[in-house]
Amino acid sequence: MAAKFEPKITAFVCNWCTYAGADLTGTSRIKYQSNVRILRVPCTGRIDFMMVMKALHQGADGVIVSGCHPNDCHYTSGNYHARRRWMVFKKMMDILGVDMRRIAFSWVSAAEGAKWAQLVNEVTDQVRALGPYVEYRQLVGAGIE
Amino acid sequence: MEALKQRVKELLALAQVKAVLGYTKGTGDRRRPLFIRAAGQVDQLVLDEACTQNLAAYATKREVKQLGKVAVISLPSTQRALLQLMAERQLRDGEVVVLAVDGSEIKEITSASALEEHLARKVTHLDSEDKATLERLAAMSREERWGFWRKELSRCMKCYACRNSCPMCYCEQCTMDCNRPQWVPVASHAFGNLEYHMVRTMHLAGRCVECGECGRACPVGIPVHLLTYCTEESVHEQFGQCAGRTAKLDYALATFKADDQESFIR
């Protein structure tokens, strides 16, 4: 009997807001699904779009990218730059036909522990419903075509 | 044509430029670049519809820069590329003489501001084949688009012609050549090809002058220029900024507005 599918979710979060927010989720004793693997980076501006693609390459079924709300960046403008990059990135992914339902973007502040739990639950449920990311697995396994 | 040849001879004779970049007859009906350094070479010069290559890619090459000041016989796309290179400080203002040929009129543009003014009156056109492909892509479902690019990119052998022919890809060490750490796989397998084209497209977003040279350079005919074209168009739609139009750098991804509008961040 095949084991029930549990998605792997990689979350890239900024040190100053979402990481602290996720910490608050824990200290507030809010339960959320344990499918998420959190990777802390200094700022959302640090998140190269390729880091997202590498996560999918390494076996993630879904990716969360999250950081400080606009105007709250510890480095003043890192999240504004990141937002532009994602706006362009999303368009490129649309053209390439990459499944953007698997990549979620969010702003979660250090005070929004509950929002973090809700975000993780929503994304996990959605990716669980979508199933394993077969398209990318096939691509990675295809070798030279 | 004779007037152009005469003007090129004059430019060289007066030592106003050290070399003139133009086109000459290549294999079959094709045209190849010509570097005119002496008056004797001027007669090889050809300028017709078959001249499509973006010569701006040569202007930043060390070998060409060493020659000194050069003049470039240029198409509008080449002019946009030269202006963008000046904006990105890869060419000094006035380092290149732009020869814009329009019918019998030859215009000599020597400064970035004059080039900006000249280009303000030009519009970009896609050819009918590209338009048809874009319409086909737009009508497809997401899965079909994924399939389309997977099939197209399966022919890619990572020869990097698209990168090397691109005037905006001037980095002396490209991230593709960096193997410590190996960021993008070297092998031209399905996954490596996708990552390469993603990186290329993103690195050109907001900088692509839409000359289509990458697509023309591709030896296996992958429409890679449509990736950069669509991304550049989306930059223009979303931020109103446009590469190759201004003498002052206006790079969309290096700036931001506090009220940039998106709909997908939760």
Side-chain angles (χ1 to χ4, degrees), chain A residues 50 54 57 81 83-84 87 94-95 97 105-107 122 135 143 145, chain B residues 142 145 149-150 154 183 190-191 195 230 241 252 255 258 260-261 266:
Chain A
M50 280 299 282
K54 291 290 177 192
H57 168 222
H81 286 288
R83 178 167 66 181
R84 280 213 162 186
M87 285 165 80
D94 281 347
I95 299 152
F105 299 92
S106 180
W107 308 125
E122 275 175 18
E135 278 179 348
E145 293 178 299
Chain B
R142 182 197 66 74
R145 275 202 297 280
W149 285 110
R150 174 130 188 230
S154 70
W183 189 223
F191 170 69
E195 283 207 334
C230 293
Q241 283 156 301
T255 51
D260 279 332
Q261 290 302 317
R266 306 185 197 193

PDB file of all heavy atoms in Angstrom, chain A residues 50 54 57 81 83-84 87 94-95 97 105-107 122 135 143 145, chain B residues 142 145 149-150 154 183 190-191 195 230 241 252 255 258 260-261 266:
ATOM      1  N   MET A  50      16.451  31.938  -8.114  1.00  0.00           N
ATOM      2  CA  MET A  50      16.991  30.594  -8.321  1.00  0.00           C
ATOM      3  C   MET A  50      16.949  29.755  -7.050  1.00  0.00           C
ATOM      4  O   MET A  50      16.938  28.530  -7.116  1.00  0.00           O
ATOM      5  CB  MET A  50      18.427  30.688  -8.853  1.00  0.00           C
ATOM      6  CG  MET A  50      18.499  30.965 -10.333  1.00  0.00           C
ATOM      7  SD  MET A  50      17.716  29.686 -11.303  1.00  0.00           S
ATOM      8  CE  MET A  50      18.985  28.444 -11.248  1.00  0.00           C
ATOM      9  N   LYS A  54      15.810  26.029  -6.967  1.00  0.00           N
ATOM     10  CA  LYS A  54      16.670  24.978  -6.412  1.00  0.00           C
ATOM     11  C   LYS A  54      15.913  24.159  -5.379  1.00  0.00           C
ATOM     12  O   LYS A  54      16.120  22.954  -5.247  1.00  0.00           O
ATOM     13  CB  LYS A  54      17.925  25.594  -5.782  1.00  0.00           C
ATOM     14  CG  LYS A  54      18.889  26.210  -6.786  1.00  0.00           C
ATOM     15  CD  LYS A  54      19.567  25.170  -7.634  1.00  0.00           C
ATOM     16  CE  LYS A  54      20.454  25.820  -8.676  1.00  0.00           C
ATOM     17  NZ  LYS A  54      20.907  24.875  -9.697  1.00  0.00           N
ATOM     18  N   HIS A  57      13.907  21.798  -7.245  1.00  0.00           N
ATOM     19  CA  HIS A  57      14.828  20.800  -7.796  1.00  0.00           C
ATOM     20  C   HIS A  57      15.178  19.740  -6.758  1.00  0.00           C
ATOM     21  O   HIS A  57      15.231  18.551  -7.043  1.00  0.00           O
ATOM     22  CB  HIS A  57      16.093  21.515  -8.301  1.00  0.00           C
ATOM     23  CG  HIS A  57      17.224  20.601  -8.637  1.00  0.00           C
ATOM     24  ND1 HIS A  57      18.521  20.880  -8.299  1.00  0.00           N
ATOM     25  CD2 HIS A  57      17.248  19.412  -9.275  1.00  0.00           C
ATOM     26  CE1 HIS A  57      19.293  19.880  -8.714  1.00  0.00           C
ATOM     27  NE2 HIS A  57      18.541  18.993  -9.310  1.00  0.00           N
ATOM     28  N   HIS A  81      12.350  45.926  -3.324  1.00  0.00           N
ATOM     29  CA  HIS A  81      13.095  45.380  -4.453  1.00  0.00           C
ATOM     30  C   HIS A  81      12.659  43.943  -4.722  1.00  0.00           C
ATOM     31  O   HIS A  81      12.489  43.532  -5.867  1.00  0.00           O
ATOM     32  CB  HIS A  81      14.600  45.435  -4.185  1.00  0.00           C
ATOM     33  CG  HIS A  81      15.168  46.817  -4.279  1.00  0.00           C
ATOM     34  ND1 HIS A  81      15.312  47.472  -5.470  1.00  0.00           N
ATOM     35  CD2 HIS A  81      15.607  47.671  -3.336  1.00  0.00           C
ATOM     36  CE1 HIS A  81      15.832  48.674  -5.262  1.00  0.00           C
ATOM     37  NE2 HIS A  81      16.013  48.817  -3.963  1.00  0.00           N
ATOM     38  N   ARG A  83       9.807  42.604  -4.049  1.00  0.00           N
ATOM     39  CA  ARG A  83       8.462  42.579  -4.628  1.00  0.00           C
ATOM     40  C   ARG A  83       8.518  42.766  -6.144  1.00  0.00           C
ATOM     41  O   ARG A  83       7.874  42.039  -6.890  1.00  0.00           O
ATOM     42  CB  ARG A  83       7.616  43.685  -3.998  1.00  0.00           C
ATOM     43  CG  ARG A  83       6.220  43.759  -4.578  1.00  0.00           C
ATOM     44  CD  ARG A  83       5.311  44.623  -3.768  1.00  0.00           C
ATOM     45  NE  ARG A  83       5.710  46.032  -3.797  1.00  0.00           N
ATOM     46  CZ  ARG A  83       5.064  46.992  -3.124  1.00  0.00           C
ATOM     47  NH1 ARG A  83       4.040  46.686  -2.360  1.00  0.00           N
ATOM     48  NH2 ARG A  83       5.467  48.233  -3.198  1.00  0.00           N
ATOM     49  N   ARG A  84       9.338  43.715  -6.598  1.00  0.00           N
ATOM     50  CA  ARG A  84       9.471  43.909  -8.047  1.00  0.00           C
ATOM     51  C   ARG A  84      10.009  42.660  -8.723  1.00  0.00           C
ATOM     52  O   ARG A  84       9.544  42.260  -9.785  1.00  0.00           O
ATOM     53  CB  ARG A  84      10.429  45.074  -8.344  1.00  0.00           C
ATOM     54  CG  ARG A  84       9.770  46.404  -8.201  1.00  0.00           C
ATOM     55  CD  ARG A  84      10.349  47.386  -9.172  1.00  0.00           C
ATOM     56  NE  ARG A  84       9.412  48.485  -9.303  1.00  0.00           N
ATOM     57  CZ  ARG A  84       9.541  49.485 -10.153  1.00  0.00           C
ATOM     58  NH1 ARG A  84      10.581  49.543 -10.945  1.00  0.00           N
ATOM     59  NH2 ARG A  84       8.635  50.428 -10.227  1.00  0.00           N
ATOM     60  N   MET A  87       7.354  40.164  -9.054  1.00  0.00           N
ATOM     61  CA  MET A  87       6.354  40.551 -10.050  1.00  0.00           C
ATOM     62  C   MET A  87       6.831  40.158 -11.450  1.00  0.00           C
ATOM     63  O   MET A  87       6.053  39.679 -12.268  1.00  0.00           O
ATOM     64  CB  MET A  87       6.086  42.064  -9.974  1.00  0.00           C
ATOM     65  CG  MET A  87       5.235  42.462  -8.781  1.00  0.00           C
ATOM     66  SD  MET A  87       5.287  44.229  -8.440  1.00  0.00           S
ATOM     67  CE  MET A  87       4.126  44.844  -9.655  1.00  0.00           C
ATOM     68  N   ASP A  94       4.749  32.364 -15.709  1.00  0.00           N
ATOM     69  CA  ASP A  94       3.499  32.194 -16.460  1.00  0.00           C
ATOM     70  C   ASP A  94       3.796  31.825 -17.908  1.00  0.00           C
ATOM     71  O   ASP A  94       3.181  30.940 -18.475  1.00  0.00           O
ATOM     72  CB  ASP A  94       2.685  33.503 -16.448  1.00  0.00           C
ATOM     73  CG  ASP A  94       1.937  33.692 -15.141  1.00  0.00           C
ATOM     74  OD1 ASP A  94       1.851  32.710 -14.376  1.00  0.00           O
ATOM     75  OD2 ASP A  94       1.450  34.803 -14.896  1.00  0.00           O
ATOM     76  N   ILE A  95       4.774  32.537 -18.486  1.00  0.00           N
ATOM     77  CA  ILE A  95       5.117  32.283 -19.886  1.00  0.00           C
ATOM     78  C   ILE A  95       5.693  30.878 -20.036  1.00  0.00           C
ATOM     79  O   ILE A  95       5.386  30.154 -20.964  1.00  0.00           O
ATOM     80  CB  ILE A  95       6.138  33.323 -20.391  1.00  0.00           C
ATOM     81  CG1 ILE A  95       5.545  34.728 -20.308  1.00  0.00           C
ATOM     82  CG2 ILE A  95       6.570  33.021 -21.820  1.00  0.00           C
ATOM     83  CD1 ILE A  95       6.588  35.793 -20.128  1.00  0.00           C
ATOM     84  N   GLY A  97       5.102  28.392 -18.153  1.00  0.00           N
ATOM     85  CA  GLY A  97       4.130  27.370 -17.784  1.00  0.00           C
ATOM     86  C   GLY A  97       4.468  26.635 -16.495  1.00  0.00           C
ATOM     87  O   GLY A  97       4.021  25.507 -16.288  1.00  0.00           O
ATOM     88  N   PHE A 105       3.680  33.635  -2.013  1.00  0.00           N
ATOM     89  CA  PHE A 105       4.379  34.813  -1.503  1.00  0.00           C
ATOM     90  C   PHE A 105       3.523  35.455  -0.421  1.00  0.00           C
ATOM     91  O   PHE A 105       2.299  35.482  -0.529  1.00  0.00           O
ATOM     92  CB  PHE A 105       4.621  35.819  -2.630  1.00  0.00           C
ATOM     93  CG  PHE A 105       5.478  35.287  -3.742  1.00  0.00           C
ATOM     94  CD1 PHE A 105       4.915  34.681  -4.851  1.00  0.00           C
ATOM     95  CD2 PHE A 105       6.858  35.370  -3.661  1.00  0.00           C
ATOM     96  CE1 PHE A 105       5.706  34.180  -5.875  1.00  0.00           C
ATOM     97  CE2 PHE A 105       7.659  34.879  -4.679  1.00  0.00           C
ATOM     98  CZ  PHE A 105       7.083  34.283  -5.793  1.00  0.00           C
ATOM     99  N   SER A 106       4.177  35.956   0.595  1.00  0.00           N
ATOM    100  CA  SER A 106       3.389  36.539   1.676  1.00  0.00           C
ATOM    101  C   SER A 106       4.199  37.565   2.452  1.00  0.00           C
ATOM    102  O   SER A 106       5.431  37.578   2.398  1.00  0.00           O
ATOM    103  CB  SER A 106       2.942  35.413   2.614  1.00  0.00           C
ATOM    104  OG  SER A 106       2.180  35.965   3.654  1.00  0.00           O
ATOM    105  N   TRP A 107       3.503  38.433   3.137  1.00  0.00           N
ATOM    106  CA  TRP A 107       4.132  39.307   4.116  1.00  0.00           C
ATOM    107  C   TRP A 107       3.651  38.838   5.483  1.00  0.00           C
ATOM    108  O   TRP A 107       2.455  38.812   5.757  1.00  0.00           O
ATOM    109  CB  TRP A 107       3.716  40.765   3.953  1.00  0.00           C
ATOM    110  CG  TRP A 107       3.849  41.407   2.598  1.00  0.00           C
ATOM    111  CD1 TRP A 107       2.849  42.033   1.916  1.00  0.00           C
ATOM    112  CD2 TRP A 107       5.023  41.557   1.797  1.00  0.00           C
ATOM    113  NE1 TRP A 107       3.324  42.548   0.733  1.00  0.00           N
ATOM    114  CE2 TRP A 107       4.664  42.267   0.638  1.00  0.00           C
ATOM    115  CE3 TRP A 107       6.350  41.152   1.944  1.00  0.00           C
ATOM    116  CZ2 TRP A 107       5.566  42.587  -0.367  1.00  0.00           C
ATOM    117  CZ3 TRP A 107       7.247  41.461   0.943  1.00  0.00           C
ATOM    118  CH2 TRP A 107       6.866  42.169  -0.190  1.00  0.00           C
ATOM    119  N   GLU A 122      -2.615  26.752   4.887  1.00  0.00           N
ATOM    120  CA  GLU A 122      -3.251  26.945   3.575  1.00  0.00           C
ATOM    121  C   GLU A 122      -2.391  26.379   2.450  1.00  0.00           C
ATOM    122  O   GLU A 122      -2.874  25.627   1.603  1.00  0.00           O
ATOM    123  CB  GLU A 122      -3.451  28.447   3.311  1.00  0.00           C
ATOM    124  CG  GLU A 122      -4.727  29.012   3.898  1.00  0.00           C
ATOM    125  CD  GLU A 122      -4.803  30.535   3.710  1.00  0.00           C
ATOM    126  OE1 GLU A 122      -4.069  31.085   2.848  1.00  0.00           O
ATOM    127  OE2 GLU A 122      -5.591  31.139   4.445  1.00  0.00           O
ATOM    128  N   GLU A 135       5.700  17.171 -12.512  1.00  0.00           N
ATOM    129  CA  GLU A 135       6.300  17.845 -13.677  1.00  0.00           C
ATOM    130  C   GLU A 135       7.782  18.126 -13.456  1.00  0.00           C
ATOM    131  O   GLU A 135       8.613  17.877 -14.320  1.00  0.00           O
ATOM    132  CB  GLU A 135       5.600  19.184 -13.928  1.00  0.00           C
ATOM    133  CG  GLU A 135       4.317  19.068 -14.701  1.00  0.00           C
ATOM    134  CD  GLU A 135       3.652  20.435 -14.910  1.00  0.00           C
ATOM    135  OE1 GLU A 135       4.068  21.433 -14.273  1.00  0.00           O
ATOM    136  OE2 GLU A 135       2.719  20.486 -15.679  1.00  0.00           O
ATOM    137  N   GLY A 143      17.106  13.814 -17.890  1.00  0.00           N
ATOM    138  CA  GLY A 143      18.420  13.737 -18.506  1.00  0.00           C
ATOM    139  C   GLY A 143      18.418  14.441 -19.842  1.00  0.00           C
ATOM    140  O   GLY A 143      17.588  15.311 -20.097  1.00  0.00           O
ATOM    141  N   GLU A 145      17.470  14.939 -23.409  1.00  0.00           N
ATOM    142  CA  GLU A 145      16.316  14.450 -24.160  1.00  0.00           C
ATOM    143  C   GLU A 145      16.647  14.266 -25.628  1.00  0.00           C
ATOM    144  O   GLU A 145      17.489  14.963 -26.160  1.00  0.00           O
ATOM    145  CB  GLU A 145      15.163  15.439 -24.009  1.00  0.00           C
ATOM    146  CG  GLU A 145      14.640  15.482 -22.578  1.00  0.00           C
ATOM    147  CD  GLU A 145      13.522  16.492 -22.423  1.00  0.00           C
ATOM    148  OE1 GLU A 145      13.778  17.679 -22.670  1.00  0.00           O
ATOM    149  OE2 GLU A 145      12.428  16.078 -22.042  1.00  0.00           O
TER     150      GLU A 145
ATOM    151  N   ARG B 142      -1.777  26.345 -19.008  1.00  0.00           N
ATOM    152  CA  ARG B 142      -0.468  26.345 -18.379  1.00  0.00           C
ATOM    153  C   ARG B 142       0.310  25.070 -18.711  1.00  0.00           C
ATOM    154  O   ARG B 142       1.488  25.105 -19.051  1.00  0.00           O
ATOM    155  CB  ARG B 142      -0.603  26.479 -16.858  1.00  0.00           C
ATOM    156  CG  ARG B 142       0.744  26.539 -16.174  1.00  0.00           C
ATOM    157  CD  ARG B 142       0.670  26.261 -14.712  1.00  0.00           C
ATOM    158  NE  ARG B 142       0.265  24.909 -14.382  1.00  0.00           N
ATOM    159  CZ  ARG B 142       1.026  23.835 -14.497  1.00  0.00           C
ATOM    160  NH1 ARG B 142       2.251  23.942 -14.975  1.00  0.00           N
ATOM    161  NH2 ARG B 142       0.580  22.636 -14.170  1.00  0.00           N
ATOM    162  N   ARG B 145       1.707  25.162 -22.127  1.00  0.00           N
ATOM    163  CA  ARG B 145       2.892  26.051 -22.226  1.00  0.00           C
ATOM    164  C   ARG B 145       4.124  25.347 -21.687  1.00  0.00           C
ATOM    165  O   ARG B 145       5.206  25.411 -22.261  1.00  0.00           O
ATOM    166  CB  ARG B 145       2.655  27.346 -21.458  1.00  0.00           C
ATOM    167  CG  ARG B 145       1.930  28.403 -22.244  1.00  0.00           C
ATOM    168  CD  ARG B 145       2.174  29.785 -21.681  1.00  0.00           C
ATOM    169  NE  ARG B 145       1.673  29.933 -20.327  1.00  0.00           N
ATOM    170  CZ  ARG B 145       0.404  30.155 -20.028  1.00  0.00           C
ATOM    171  NH1 ARG B 145      -0.493  30.249 -20.984  1.00  0.00           N
ATOM    172  NH2 ARG B 145       0.010  30.271 -18.773  1.00  0.00           N
ATOM    173  N   TRP B 149       7.489  24.624 -23.982  1.00  0.00           N
ATOM    174  CA  TRP B 149       8.872  25.016 -23.695  1.00  0.00           C
ATOM    175  C   TRP B 149       9.746  23.802 -23.431  1.00  0.00           C
ATOM    176  O   TRP B 149      10.923  23.782 -23.779  1.00  0.00           O
ATOM    177  CB  TRP B 149       8.934  26.006 -22.528  1.00  0.00           C
ATOM    178  CG  TRP B 149       8.479  27.358 -22.947  1.00  0.00           C
ATOM    179  CD1 TRP B 149       7.324  27.978 -22.568  1.00  0.00           C
ATOM    180  CD2 TRP B 149       9.127  28.258 -23.865  1.00  0.00           C
ATOM    181  NE1 TRP B 149       7.216  29.206 -23.188  1.00  0.00           N
ATOM    182  CE2 TRP B 149       8.308  29.402 -23.982  1.00  0.00           C
ATOM    183  CE3 TRP B 149      10.309  28.209 -24.598  1.00  0.00           C
ATOM    184  CZ2 TRP B 149       8.635  30.483 -24.803  1.00  0.00           C
ATOM    185  CZ3 TRP B 149      10.643  29.281 -25.411  1.00  0.00           C
ATOM    186  CH2 TRP B 149       9.817  30.395 -25.506  1.00  0.00           C
ATOM    187  N   ARG B 150       9.183  22.776 -22.835  1.00  0.00           N
ATOM    188  CA  ARG B 150       9.966  21.572 -22.591  1.00  0.00           C
ATOM    189  C   ARG B 150      10.419  20.990 -23.931  1.00  0.00           C
ATOM    190  O   ARG B 150      11.560  20.572 -24.084  1.00  0.00           O
ATOM    191  CB  ARG B 150       9.105  20.579 -21.795  1.00  0.00           C
ATOM    192  CG  ARG B 150       9.760  19.274 -21.627  1.00  0.00           C
ATOM    193  CD  ARG B 150       9.775  18.762 -20.214  1.00  0.00           C
ATOM    194  NE  ARG B 150      10.600  17.579 -20.191  1.00  0.00           N
ATOM    195  CZ  ARG B 150      10.231  16.427 -19.662  1.00  0.00           C
ATOM    196  NH1 ARG B 150       9.088  16.333 -19.037  1.00  0.00           N
ATOM    197  NH2 ARG B 150      11.030  15.391 -19.718  1.00  0.00           N
ATOM    198  N   SER B 154      14.261  21.170 -25.303  1.00  0.00           N
ATOM    199  CA  SER B 154      14.942  19.875 -25.392  1.00  0.00           C
ATOM    200  C   SER B 154      15.977  19.898 -26.523  1.00  0.00           C
ATOM    201  O   SER B 154      16.888  19.084 -26.541  1.00  0.00           O
ATOM    202  CB  SER B 154      13.927  18.760 -25.618  1.00  0.00           C
ATOM    203  OG  SER B 154      13.385  18.854 -26.918  1.00  0.00           O
ATOM    204  N   TRP B 183      26.332  26.986  -9.827  1.00  0.00           N
ATOM    205  CA  TRP B 183      24.987  27.505  -9.551  1.00  0.00           C
ATOM    206  C   TRP B 183      23.980  26.944 -10.546  1.00  0.00           C
ATOM    207  O   TRP B 183      22.912  26.494 -10.179  1.00  0.00           O
ATOM    208  CB  TRP B 183      25.052  29.041  -9.604  1.00  0.00           C
ATOM    209  CG  TRP B 183      23.850  29.802  -9.142  1.00  0.00           C
ATOM    210  CD1 TRP B 183      23.315  30.881  -9.770  1.00  0.00           C
ATOM    211  CD2 TRP B 183      23.045  29.599  -7.969  1.00  0.00           C
ATOM    212  NE1 TRP B 183      22.236  31.348  -9.056  1.00  0.00           N
ATOM    213  CE2 TRP B 183      22.055  30.582  -7.956  1.00  0.00           C
ATOM    214  CE3 TRP B 183      23.067  28.660  -6.936  1.00  0.00           C
ATOM    215  CZ2 TRP B 183      21.081  30.674  -6.963  1.00  0.00           C
ATOM    216  CZ3 TRP B 183      22.098  28.747  -5.941  1.00  0.00           C
ATOM    217  CH2 TRP B 183      21.132  29.745  -5.956  1.00  0.00           C
ATOM    218  N   ALA B 190      17.399  18.340 -19.579  1.00  0.00           N
ATOM    219  CA  ALA B 190      16.134  19.081 -19.550  1.00  0.00           C
ATOM    220  C   ALA B 190      16.131  20.140 -18.456  1.00  0.00           C
ATOM    221  O   ALA B 190      15.756  21.292 -18.677  1.00  0.00           O
ATOM    222  CB  ALA B 190      14.985  18.104 -19.336  1.00  0.00           C
ATOM    223  N   PHE B 191      16.588  19.746 -17.283  1.00  0.00           N
ATOM    224  CA  PHE B 191      16.537  20.637 -16.143  1.00  0.00           C
ATOM    225  C   PHE B 191      17.574  21.766 -16.265  1.00  0.00           C
ATOM    226  O   PHE B 191      17.280  22.935 -16.005  1.00  0.00           O
ATOM    227  CB  PHE B 191      16.773  19.797 -14.885  1.00  0.00           C
ATOM    228  CG  PHE B 191      16.977  20.594 -13.665  1.00  0.00           C
ATOM    229  CD1 PHE B 191      15.940  21.319 -13.122  1.00  0.00           C
ATOM    230  CD2 PHE B 191      18.219  20.638 -13.052  1.00  0.00           C
ATOM    231  CE1 PHE B 191      16.134  22.076 -11.991  1.00  0.00           C
ATOM    232  CE2 PHE B 191      18.418  21.382 -11.928  1.00  0.00           C
ATOM    233  CZ  PHE B 191      17.380  22.103 -11.391  1.00  0.00           C
ATOM    234  N   GLU B 195      16.847  25.861 -16.358  1.00  0.00           N
ATOM    235  CA  GLU B 195      17.465  26.808 -15.418  1.00  0.00           C
ATOM    236  C   GLU B 195      18.299  27.850 -16.160  1.00  0.00           C
ATOM    237  O   GLU B 195      18.272  29.025 -15.812  1.00  0.00           O
ATOM    238  CB  GLU B 195      18.331  26.063 -14.390  1.00  0.00           C
ATOM    239  CG  GLU B 195      17.498  25.391 -13.325  1.00  0.00           C
ATOM    240  CD  GLU B 195      18.229  25.232 -12.008  1.00  0.00           C
ATOM    241  OE1 GLU B 195      19.468  25.179 -12.024  1.00  0.00           O
ATOM    242  OE2 GLU B 195      17.550  25.142 -10.974  1.00  0.00           O
ATOM    243  N   CYS B 230       8.758  38.754 -23.798  1.00  0.00           N
ATOM    244  CA  CYS B 230       7.557  38.771 -22.944  1.00  0.00           C
ATOM    245  C   CYS B 230       7.890  39.333 -21.568  1.00  0.00           C
ATOM    246  O   CYS B 230       7.096  40.082 -20.986  1.00  0.00           O
ATOM    247  CB  CYS B 230       6.979  37.376 -22.786  1.00  0.00           C
ATOM    248  SG  CYS B 230       6.322  36.723 -24.304  1.00  0.00           S
ATOM    249  N   GLN B 241       8.671  51.184 -17.311  1.00  0.00           N
ATOM    250  CA  GLN B 241      10.058  51.453 -17.691  1.00  0.00           C
ATOM    251  C   GLN B 241      10.439  50.602 -18.887  1.00  0.00           C
ATOM    252  O   GLN B 241       9.896  49.530 -19.101  1.00  0.00           O
ATOM    253  CB  GLN B 241      10.986  51.176 -16.507  1.00  0.00           C
ATOM    254  CG  GLN B 241      10.940  52.283 -15.477  1.00  0.00           C
ATOM    255  CD  GLN B 241      11.343  51.801 -14.103  1.00  0.00           C
ATOM    256  OE1 GLN B 241      10.732  50.904 -13.558  1.00  0.00           O
ATOM    257  NE2 GLN B 241      12.366  52.406 -13.550  1.00  0.00           N
ATOM    258  N   ALA B 252      14.451  48.877 -14.110  1.00  0.00           N
ATOM    259  CA  ALA B 252      13.252  48.637 -13.294  1.00  0.00           C
ATOM    260  C   ALA B 252      13.544  47.829 -12.035  1.00  0.00           C
ATOM    261  O   ALA B 252      12.930  48.048 -10.997  1.00  0.00           O
ATOM    262  CB  ALA B 252      12.197  47.930 -14.136  1.00  0.00           C
ATOM    263  N   THR B 255      15.191  49.785  -9.010  1.00  0.00           N
ATOM    264  CA  THR B 255      14.415  50.853  -8.391  1.00  0.00           C
ATOM    265  C   THR B 255      13.099  50.249  -7.898  1.00  0.00           C
ATOM    266  O   THR B 255      12.824  49.081  -8.128  1.00  0.00           O
ATOM    267  CB  THR B 255      14.075  51.958  -9.414  1.00  0.00           C
ATOM    268  OG1 THR B 255      13.498  51.328 -10.550  1.00  0.00           O
ATOM    269  CG2 THR B 255      15.287  52.739  -9.823  1.00  0.00           C
ATOM    270  N   ALA B 258       6.901  52.688  -3.790  1.00  0.00           N
ATOM    271  CA  ALA B 258       6.247  52.173  -2.592  1.00  0.00           C
ATOM    272  C   ALA B 258       4.854  51.645  -2.920  1.00  0.00           C
ATOM    273  O   ALA B 258       4.323  50.794  -2.221  1.00  0.00           O
ATOM    274  CB  ALA B 258       6.166  53.261  -1.534  1.00  0.00           C
ATOM    275  N   ASP B 260       3.965  49.986  -5.807  1.00  0.00           N
ATOM    276  CA  ASP B 260       3.924  48.985  -6.871  1.00  0.00           C
ATOM    277  C   ASP B 260       2.735  48.058  -6.633  1.00  0.00           C
ATOM    278  O   ASP B 260       2.556  47.558  -5.527  1.00  0.00           O
ATOM    279  CB  ASP B 260       5.218  48.147  -6.858  1.00  0.00           C
ATOM    280  CG  ASP B 260       6.370  48.856  -7.543  1.00  0.00           C
ATOM    281  OD1 ASP B 260       6.105  49.665  -8.438  1.00  0.00           O
ATOM    282  OD2 ASP B 260       7.523  48.590  -7.174  1.00  0.00           O
ATOM    283  N   GLN B 261       1.939  47.849  -7.674  1.00  0.00           N
ATOM    284  CA  GLN B 261       0.708  47.072  -7.487  1.00  0.00           C
ATOM    285  C   GLN B 261       0.887  45.622  -7.902  1.00  0.00           C
ATOM    286  O   GLN B 261       1.233  45.337  -9.038  1.00  0.00           O
ATOM    287  CB  GLN B 261      -0.429  47.700  -8.310  1.00  0.00           C
ATOM    288  CG  GLN B 261      -0.922  49.033  -7.786  1.00  0.00           C
ATOM    289  CD  GLN B 261      -1.424  48.958  -6.353  1.00  0.00           C
ATOM    290  OE1 GLN B 261      -2.135  48.012  -5.998  1.00  0.00           O
ATOM    291  NE2 GLN B 261      -1.050  49.919  -5.531  1.00  0.00           N
ATOM    292  N   ARG B 266       0.188  37.357  -0.349  1.00  0.00           N
ATOM    293  CA  ARG B 266      -0.868  37.237   0.671  1.00  0.00           C
ATOM    294  C   ARG B 266      -0.558  38.089   1.894  1.00  0.00           C
ATOM    295  O   ARG B 266       0.571  38.203   2.305  1.00  0.00           O
ATOM    296  CB  ARG B 266      -0.994  35.779   1.133  1.00  0.00           C
ATOM    297  CG  ARG B 266      -1.196  34.845  -0.015  1.00  0.00           C
ATOM    298  CD  ARG B 266      -1.430  33.459   0.516  1.00  0.00           C
ATOM    299  NE  ARG B 266      -1.227  32.506  -0.567  1.00  0.00           N
ATOM    300  CZ  ARG B 266      -1.582  31.235  -0.510  1.00  0.00           C
ATOM    301  NH1 ARG B 266      -2.154  30.763   0.577  1.00  0.00           N
ATOM    302  NH2 ARG B 266      -1.365  30.432  -1.518  1.00  0.00           N
TER     303      ARG B 266
END
